[in-house]
Amino acid sequence: VVVADNHSSDRSVAFVEKHYPQVEVMAHKKNLGYGKAINLAVKAKISQKEFQYFGILNNDIKLDPQWLEKLVAYSQKNPQAGILSGKILLYHWPKYVNSTGVNINYFGYGWDRDFFCEDKLCQRQSGPVLAVTGSATLIKRGVFEAAGFYDHDYFLYYEDSDLCFRTWKYTQYSVDYVSDAVTYHKFSASLGVFSPLKHFYIKRSRFLFILKNFPLSFVIKVFPKITKYEFADFIGPLLARLDFANFFKELHVYLIFLARLPFYVIKKLLFRRKAVKSGWWEMLHPSYTKYSTKSITPEFADIISGGGSRYGTASHRIIAGINDRGLGTGWSNIINAIPRGRFMFGKASCRFENVQPEKKYCLQIHYRNDKQQATVNLTFEDFSESFDLKPDWNTKIIKLPKVSGGQVNLTMHLEGAHNRFEGLFVNEISLLGRDSNLLREEL
């Protein structure tokens, strides 16, 4: 095991060295970017012939105990499989899928296949896929020897898809999804779901991906369409709203694309590399501006009501910081955190409206606890219960007796905190039918 540390500031290097002395740590003095840090770790070991596979893992995942065994077994049955990844479930909501592979369209947009599909309904079979997310992949040494290493020009995002593309084009290997190798992923834990920095790096890397990997004739063909799309859907509307700060950010990324276009055109003409396989282009999703991923994100689901078949019984949801209509007293202001939430200090309240008295409900509280030992005492009409906080992100699900209906109030007391300034970070409080697909699992 090699830990590549990109100049972290949370004392994780000291923690690993103290508690896991058998683990090799490569601590860099600055953030080299994802690809370059991984490359240095791989290059340090690839000369040792006994290593036939390299497991590339992000810092926000948990592996099923049989993850490695399943991928190696698939690789042995399918020797052409060079890059392998399994079913990735949402860490905080593991009944839903994060990814079963990656789709990419003609504008270079990439999205997770089967994102937010219910796991038990996802029947995706193992087999070749255009690309896989780099959060947890197993890569044969032959892939690095034939296709090269991660391209550190990307710095962040798309370096995984870039390596998958080069594997399809320039080697005899394939990229494969393995359905029974399971990973749990904290979706966008590093930069956050709606982070402006994430948006910048994704767009910058997407443009770079197009210039590097698409045929020159197609790049020239698609360039006017990209320009029209960027100005019609991003740059133009921002200027019309006089949002100059974000206007210049979007324009900056586009100008990077424009400036690099001649350089990559010349590079493609002078250093053409003949593709080994054909057919990879047909694996692209045949669309441009729109792509068929679900717009709902797991941590930012808004109020869902009406009791549709997908969601079961009608639900009432308070997503702290996103939908505050039901919040009462005792909550902090919106803070810059992902998922956006609120701190409660001592005592806080909220209310649920239009509750149906004949329904059987569960109360679901999704929270993050930073190392404090405390207890939450809650009162819901005539019902009361207490529970001890667990560390890190957790979900508490409480089955409720029948409620009176109409507007129902919930009060929570935080007891046992070391001092009054230590609050509890709450992301979601939900009143959900017991058959609702939005119920998380207890963690």
Side-chain angles (χ1 to χ4, degrees):
V1 177
V2 180
V3 172
D5 184 87
N6 259 337
H7 196 55
S8 63
S9 58
D10 60 357
R11 296 186 56 79
S12 55
V13 170
F15 178 86
V16 173
E17 290 176 341
K18 178 180 178 180
H19 296 282
Y20 302 94
Q22 75 278 16
V23 171
E24 181 179 342
V25 179
M26 299 181 68
H28 303 301
K29 295 183 179 180
K30 65 177 182 179
N31 187 351
L32 303 177
Y34 179 82
K36 191 169 185 177
I38 296 297
N39 286 346
L40 290 173
V42 173
K43 290 177 180 179
K45 300 297 179 182
I46 201 167
S47 60
Q48 301 176 35
K49 298 300 182 181
E50 67 268 26
F51 297 129
Q52 298 303 311
Y53 298 92
F54 292 82
I56 312 298
L57 309 176
N58 281 10
N59 62 348
D60 55 359
I61 57 101
K62 181 177 74 173
L63 297 177
D64 180 87
Q66 292 185 307
W67 178 84
L68 183 59
E69 178 184 340
K70 297 291 187 181
L71 292 182
V72 171
Y74 180 93
S75 174
Q76 291 174 344
K77 292 180 181 179
N78 302 272
Q80 81 287 349
I83 299 180
L84 304 100
S85 182
K87 180 191 293 182
I88 302 175
L89 302 177
L90 294 167
Y91 183 92
H92 297 305
W93 216 340
K95 68 194 299 181
Y96 287 103
V97 172
N98 184 162
S99 179
T100 62
V102 173
N103 289 323
I104 300 173
N105 72 359
Y106 291 158
F107 264 15
Y109 278 113
W111 66 94
D112 289 313
R113 192 172 65 169
D114 298 321
F115 178 74
F116 209 61
C117 289
E118 197 169 355
D119 180 27
K120 66 181 180 181
L121 300 179
C122 183
Q123 303 298 321
R124 186 73 65 176
Q125 299 298 311
S126 300
V129 63
L130 178 60
V132 292
T133 176
S135 59
T137 53
L138 188 69
I139 303 177
K140 282 186 175 179
R141 66 179 297 121
V143 170
F144 290 120
E145 292 169 344
F149 298 89
Y150 287 106
D151 186 343
H152 51 77
D153 282 349
Y154 288 97
F155 190 78
L156 190 62
Y157 297 115
Y158 273 84
E159 59 280 290
D160 46 5
S161 295
D162 179 86
L163 182 59
C164 291
F165 243 65
R166 285 187 279 127
T167 299
W168 277 116
K169 291 174 66 175
Y170 303 126
T171 80
Q172 297 295 342
Y173 291 107
S174 63
V175 180
D176 286 69
Y177 162 72
V178 183
S179 62
D180 57 355
V182 180
T183 306
Y184 303 90
H185 180 220
K186 295 180 180 179
F187 183 71
S188 283
S190 297
L191 292 184
V193 177
F194 292 153
S195 164
L197 192 61
K198 176 181 178 179
H199 173 75
F200 169 82
Y201 278 117
I202 284 181
K203 177 168 284 192
R204 175 182 177 276
S205 296
R206 178 171 67 87
F207 288 155
L208 179 59
F209 179 84
I210 293 171
L211 293 173
K212 280 195 59 187
N213 292 291
F214 287 5
L216 178 58
S217 58
F218 189 82
V219 172
I220 296 172
K221 174 185 174 182
V222 81
F223 174 71
K225 294 183 179 181
I226 291 177
T227 300
K228 180 180 178 181
Y229 175 61
E230 289 296 318
F231 278 85
D233 285 55
F234 294 97
I235 299 174
L238 290 171
L239 185 61
R241 295 200 306 267
L242 303 181
D243 186 351
F244 294 112
N246 287 308
F247 165 78
F248 285 113
K249 288 178 183 177
E250 292 289 341
L251 184 62
H252 175 223
V253 183
Y254 175 77
L255 291 177
I256 292 175
F257 172 58
L258 188 64
R260 290 192 175 197
L261 180 61
F263 171 76
Y264 278 97
V265 169
I266 295 172
K267 189 175 180 180
K268 280 179 176 289
L269 291 173
L270 295 178
F271 304 102
R272 285 192 175 185
R273 184 177 179 184
K274 187 176 181 181
V276 173
K277 296 192 298 288
S278 61
W280 54 270
W281 184 257
E282 284 70 25
M283 299 178 73
L284 282 170
H285 194 279
S287 60
Y288 288 90
T289 60
K290 296 180 180 179
Y291 46 96
S292 57
T293 186
K294 294 180 174 61
S295 58
I296 188 170
T297 52
E299 301 291 359
F300 289 85
D302 208 338
I303 288 182
I304 299 166
S305 60
S309 59
R310 175 179 173 184
Y311 299 104
T313 306
S315 62
H316 305 271
R317 297 167 62 74
I318 296 172
I319 311 297
I322 300 299
N323 169 46
D324 286 346
R325 191 178 71 170
L327 289 184
T329 60
W331 301 96
S332 67
N333 293 328
I334 294 178
I335 63 173
N336 184 23
I338 298 295
R340 292 175 187 164
R342 297 291 186 100
F343 276 101
M344 60 163 286
F345 298 93
K347 179 182 178 181
S349 64
C350 63
R351 66 182 182 277
F352 302 97
E353 299 175 352
N354 303 316
V355 178
Q356 302 176 42
E358 71 278 8
K359 301 295 183 181
K360 293 183 178 180
Y361 285 102
C362 286
L363 181 66
Q364 176 170 272
I365 302 173
H366 188 50
Y367 67 89
R368 188 187 74 215
N369 176 33
D370 293 327
K371 299 181 181 179
Q372 65 173 312
Q373 295 181 345
T375 300
V376 173
N377 299 317
L378 59 87
T379 303
F380 189 91
E381 289 195 314
D382 297 329
F383 174 81
S384 61
E385 184 165 322
S386 300
F387 63 92
D388 295 329
L389 298 179
K390 296 180 180 179
D392 199 28
W393 281 106
N394 279 281
T395 303
K396 181 64 179 177
I397 300 175
I398 300 170
K399 290 185 177 180
L400 298 172
K402 287 188 177 181
V403 296
S404 60
Q407 179 173 301
V408 182
N409 296 313
L410 170 69
T411 303
M412 297 193 297
H413 294 258
L414 180 64
E415 297 182 356
H418 298 307
N419 60 65
R420 64 189 182 90
F421 298 107
E422 288 188 311
L424 177 65
F425 187 78
V426 179
N427 177 54
E428 170 193 348
I429 309 172
S430 299
L431 191 62
L432 299 168
R434 294 187 187 180
D435 61 343
S436 174
N437 287 341
L438 292 173
L439 279 171
R440 301 172 186 261
E441 295 181 11
E442 300 246 17
L443 300 178

